[in-house]
């Protein structure tokens, strides 16, 4: 696991509130990650072995949304911070809570889903005061109301950003989707994000025709447990009518990778700058993006992977 993920509670607290206290070695990691945006190394292929018996056949291609179809980390962070400012959410300082880029890089790769992120943060750093509750909420019902309200407002703000027309899909995604459809493969999107925000992203980034042509679409609202729990991919396999070993997942983070592999599916990684240093040893291939990845490449990879017993 990347060093940026192994952070003590005290370090989390310090750099979440004050970027100037961000540890030097973690600053270096963050800088390297941003520099990596301009570098496209060849793909790394892992865990690939030849096997004529028990090999898998690519029948369904499943995409994550955030980080795979679009680079959305900075957009989500902006929407969260706008929500914290709007409701004057104050934890340990006199200023509204503001998640720094460095802190959010760590948080998003540690905890999936918006509500779990906020609940974890408030448990660790103290429940905040806000325009909703003058004093920090103490009972479960009030805390749930705070998180639900923040998440709903954040989701609407995120939609505004997506609708602005300034967001583009990541390289190669649309072409790969079209190749899969043309070859008769089943196509799905499985995201841990709120359903309404994922729908908006897909409608604006892949277009209505591709979105309506999906054979399966699942969001965080559709399952009880978020990634890295495998529920969303297990459910997708059932809805697609395709066995897990014949599905191939495209993910960007170790959380998504764990969800896919635990579900019994093979997974390729197309990392973002904030996830590039994660431990992807269980992926069958790692790419900086999908610009040079063809459907036939993925078919060959899956055919040469020994199916999990």
């Amino acid at each position: 696991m990347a060093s940026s993920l192994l952070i003590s509670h005290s370090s989390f607290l310090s750099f979440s509130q004050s970027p100037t206290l961000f540890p030097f070695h973690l600053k270096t990691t963050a800088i390297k990650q941003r520099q990596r945006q301009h570098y496209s190394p060849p793909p790394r292929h892992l865990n690939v072995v030849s096997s004529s018996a028990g090999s898998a056949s690519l029948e369904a291609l499943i995409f994550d949304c955030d980080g795979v179809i679009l680079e959305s980390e900075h957009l989500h962070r902006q929407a969260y911070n706008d929500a914290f400012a709007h409701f004057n959410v104050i934890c340990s300082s006199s200023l509204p809570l503001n998640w720094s880029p460095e802190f959010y890089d760590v948080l998003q790769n540690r905890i999936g889903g918006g509500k779990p992120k906020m609940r974890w943060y408030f448990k660790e750093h103290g429940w905040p005061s806000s325009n909703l509750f003058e004093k920090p909420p103490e009972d479960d019902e009030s805390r749930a109301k705070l998180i639900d309200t923040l998440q709903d407002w954040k989701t609407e703000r995120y939609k505004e950003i997506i609708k602005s027309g300034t967001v583009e899909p990541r390289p190669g995604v649309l072409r790969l989707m079209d190749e899969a459809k043309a070859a008769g493969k089943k196509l799905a999107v499985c995201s841990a994000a709120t359903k309404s925000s994922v729908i908006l992203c897909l409608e604006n980034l892949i277009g209505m025709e591709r979105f309506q042509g999906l054979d399966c679409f699942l969001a965080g609202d559709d399952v009880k447990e978020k990634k890295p729990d495998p529920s969303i991919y297990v459910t997708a396999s059932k809805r697609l009518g395709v066995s897990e070993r014949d599905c191939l997942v495209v993910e960007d983070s170790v959380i998504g990778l764990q969800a896919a592999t635990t579900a019994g599916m093979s997974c390729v990684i197309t990392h973002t700058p904030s996830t590039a240093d994660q431990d992807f040893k269980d992926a069958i291939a790692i790419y900086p993006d999908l610009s040079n990845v063809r459907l036939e490449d993925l078919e060959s990879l899956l055919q040469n992977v020994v199916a999990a017993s």
Side-chain angles (χ1 to χ4, degrees):
M1 189 72 68
S3 61
S4 60
L5 296 179
L6 303 177
I7 296 179
S8 67
H9 169 71
S10 59
S11 296
F12 242 87
L13 179 59
S14 64
F15 73 77
S16 67
Q17 295 292 340
S18 176
T20 60
L21 298 178
F22 192 55
F24 177 76
H25 73 283
L26 296 176
K27 280 185 179 178
T28 303
T29 299
I31 292 170
K32 287 181 179 179
Q33 290 172 342
R34 286 192 289 271
Q35 290 175 334
R36 194 176 283 104
Q37 286 180 294
H38 307 289
Y39 173 62
S40 297
R44 288 181 282 156
H45 301 281
L46 309 175
N47 299 341
V48 179
V49 293
S50 297
S51 175
S52 57
S55 63
S57 173
L58 178 56
E59 295 184 18
L61 188 59
I62 306 175
F63 291 84
D64 179 29
C65 186
D66 291 334
V68 173
I69 294 177
L70 76 159
E71 283 197 31
S72 57
E73 295 94 340
H74 63 294
L75 306 179
H76 282 290
R77 186 182 68 85
Q78 177 185 338
Y80 278 117
N81 286 339
D82 289 348
F84 298 149
H86 179 79
F87 289 101
N88 198 32
V89 174
I90 296 177
C91 287
S92 58
S93 70
S94 59
L95 298 176
L97 177 61
N98 187 285
W99 285 342
S100 69
E102 296 86 356
F103 173 78
Y104 192 73
D105 275 353
V106 178
L107 180 64
Q108 64 156 345
N109 292 316
R110 176 172 179 168
I111 301 172
K115 292 181 183 180
K117 282 183 176 68
M118 288 188 286
R119 184 170 293 278
W120 179 90
Y121 185 89
F122 296 147
K123 282 183 177 180
E124 290 290 312
H125 302 291
W127 288 85
S129 62
S130 65
N131 292 343
L132 294 167
F133 298 96
E134 183 177 349
K135 295 182 179 180
E138 297 182 354
D139 60 278
D140 292 342
E141 183 178 353
S142 297
R143 290 175 173 180
K145 179 181 178 181
L146 172 65
I147 288 178
D148 288 346
T149 303
L150 289 173
Q151 182 64 34
D152 289 346
W153 198 95
K154 176 263 177 184
T155 297
E156 293 305 312
R157 176 66 182 122
Y158 182 73
K159 290 179 181 179
E160 292 176 1
I161 298 172
I162 296 297
K163 287 179 180 178
S164 68
T166 61
V167 184
E168 298 288 338
R170 293 191 68 192
V173 170
L174 300 186
R175 174 191 46 74
L176 192 55
M177 284 184 167
D178 292 343
E179 286 183 10
K181 268 297 183 183
K185 311 298 182 183
K186 292 189 176 182
L187 198 61
V189 171
C190 293
S191 171
T194 306
K195 193 161 198 168
S196 58
S197 67
V198 182
I199 289 175
L200 184 75
C201 287
L202 296 179
E203 288 178 347
N204 282 270
L205 294 174
I206 71 173
M208 285 298 298
E209 184 176 352
R210 289 188 186 90
F211 176 50
Q212 294 175 352
L214 292 175
D215 297 288
C216 177
F217 162 60
L218 294 172
D221 314 55
D222 296 312
V223 291
K224 292 182 179 180
E225 300 294 335
K226 304 282 188 180
K227 301 174 185 177
D229 186 274
S231 299
I232 197 165
Y233 288 126
V234 172
T235 302
S237 173
K238 293 177 180 177
R239 292 194 182 182
L240 290 167
V242 176
S243 69
E244 290 86 349
R245 77 171 192 172
D246 294 326
C247 296
L248 181 61
V249 176
V250 185
E251 276 281 1
D252 71 302
S253 70
V254 71
I255 289 178
L257 172 62
Q258 290 170 354
T261 54
T262 304
M265 298 179 181
S266 295
C267 181
V268 299
I269 291 293
T270 169
H271 57 70
T272 64
S274 68
T275 65
D277 289 340
Q278 293 184 12
D279 182 0
F280 296 127
K281 66 180 183 299
D282 292 326
I284 63 172
I286 302 171
Y287 305 100
D289 58 51
L290 299 175
S291 56
N292 295 316
V293 181
R294 301 287 172 175
L295 181 66
E296 61 186 24
D297 300 326
L298 301 182
E299 288 180 304
S300 297
L301 278 172
L302 194 59
Q303 288 170 356
N304 290 323
V305 172
V306 175
S309 57

